[in-house]
Amino acid sequence: MKDLIKTLYQKFHHLILYGIIGSFSSGLDFAVYTVLVQVFGVHYIVANCISVVAGISTSFILNRNYNFKVKDKTGRRFGIFLCVGFTGLLLSNLILYTCINTFALNKIVSKLLSIVLVVFFQFLVNKYFTFKPNEHGESVSGDAGL
């Protein structure tokens, strides 16, 4: 049984860590969104934009340092990560708008649904594009050029 768990972890460790980091970042996103909407009365789309940027920044730093451990071309990778994140933001806003205005779902429930759907999309793009190891197939632990 131990060997099975070890084999599964080795095979899916990036997905597992992405899930842990994503859960933390999504939790931050959700908390910021909830406070902005419920406490400060900020419009849900504006609140979503602010909360998603907080989640994106946190997720990049944690994934870069602890999950994919690819530390070269930081500026370029962050730019790609932001593009993926902003694509996720557009998708999230579309989901929120549809859930709230078409299906009359609660704003908080709609946000939870949007997080779940967007996370899968972003994992695939980030794993295979943003944090793709260098051309030699190795992660770079130094902080070489942008």
Side-chain angles (χ1 to χ4, degrees), residues 54-65:
I56 288 170
S57 300
T58 301
S59 182
F60 177 79
I61 291 166
L62 294 176
N63 273 298
R64 176 183 176 269
N65 292 323

Side-chain angles (χ1 to χ4, degrees), residues 6-17:
K6 185 176 180 179
T7 301
L8 288 173
Y9 177 76
Q10 288 173 341
K11 184 172 179 135
F12 298 108
H13 73 279
H14 287 299
L15 179 60
I16 293 166
L17 287 174

